[in-house]
Amino acid sequence: AQRVTQPEKLLSVFKGAPVELKCNYSYSGSPELFWYVQYSRQRLQLLLRHISRESIKGFTADLNKGETSFHLKKPFAQEEDSAMYYCALKDFGNEKLTFGTGTRLTIIP
Amino acid sequence: DGGITQSPKYLFRKEGQNVTLSCEQNLNHDAMYWYRQDPGQGLRLIYYSQIVNDFQKGDIAEGYSVSREKKESFPLTVTSAQKNPTAFYLCASSIRTGVLSGELFFGEGSRLTVL
């Protein structure tokens, strides 16, 4: 069975410092991985997906199949990055999306 | 205004009563989902549907039922068999295939409280 683990429930980082939100997964096939974000009083929305290999709002995430990880990184945190972040894995061949338990990121001014 | 609409936003029910949560989308998406969000447990998949007249159980389907008679609609019934129904429920939809699949569009959620 597929599983997504986000080991940190809470993470506080000073403004301007680097951010890393951890995500590990277990899956027997070739995974598709995503990061979703929920800002205060907004809907949950897609931040980025690994196949796009793009940077969104300064965030990047690299799929490491050897370590089964998909950590989300940003070199310099901004106050507007404060939000709830979820890592998610898509089942190959169908549309089932499994989410982790989420990490609440707080940027300290 | 395009998107996912969930109703009601807040719902109170007595123990033992069934309750149905509505989810409608006008994005022409094939796939629709129901998740339950509890503090510290993230989003857990209840049911999902990849196409009209078809749906699959997620990880926590016991005590819930769904139907998918129309592409636009995916109602969720929380039955009296669900042991801990008080929760925040999120509906979502997505394109079924292609590079854009996996991007879920979420509703604002429905908070169910069972008294």
Side-chain angles (χ1 to χ4, degrees), chain A residues 9 32 34 36 38 43-46 49 51 84 86 90-91 93-102, chain B residues 4 31 33 35 37 40-43 45 48 50 59 94-96 99-104 106-108:
Chain A
K9 286 190 176 180
E32 288 186 62
F34 306 81
Y36 278 77
Q38 188 167 26
R43 301 184 187 203
L44 189 59
Q45 60 187 287
L46 178 68
R49 63 177 78 212
I51 59 172
M84 191 75 176
Y86 292 96
K90 182 174 170 295
D91 198 5
N94 70 43
E95 298 306 308
K96 181 180 179 182
L97 205 67
T98 299
F99 284 81
T101 51
Chain B
I4 310 284
Y33 308 76
Y35 286 90
Q37 191 175 31
Q41 298 196 58
L43 277 73
L45 183 63
Y48 66 108
Q50 298 184 88
D59 301 314
S94 75
I95 293 172
R96 187 180 167 200
V99 295
L100 296 179
S101 72
E103 179 175 4
L104 269 59
F106 283 88
E108 293 184 309

Side-chain angles (χ1 to χ4, degrees), chain A residues 15-29:
Chain A
K15 179 182 173 181
V19 176
E20 183 179 48
L21 287 82
K22 291 184 168 53
C23 173
N24 289 90
Y25 67 91
S26 63
Y27 184 62
S28 57

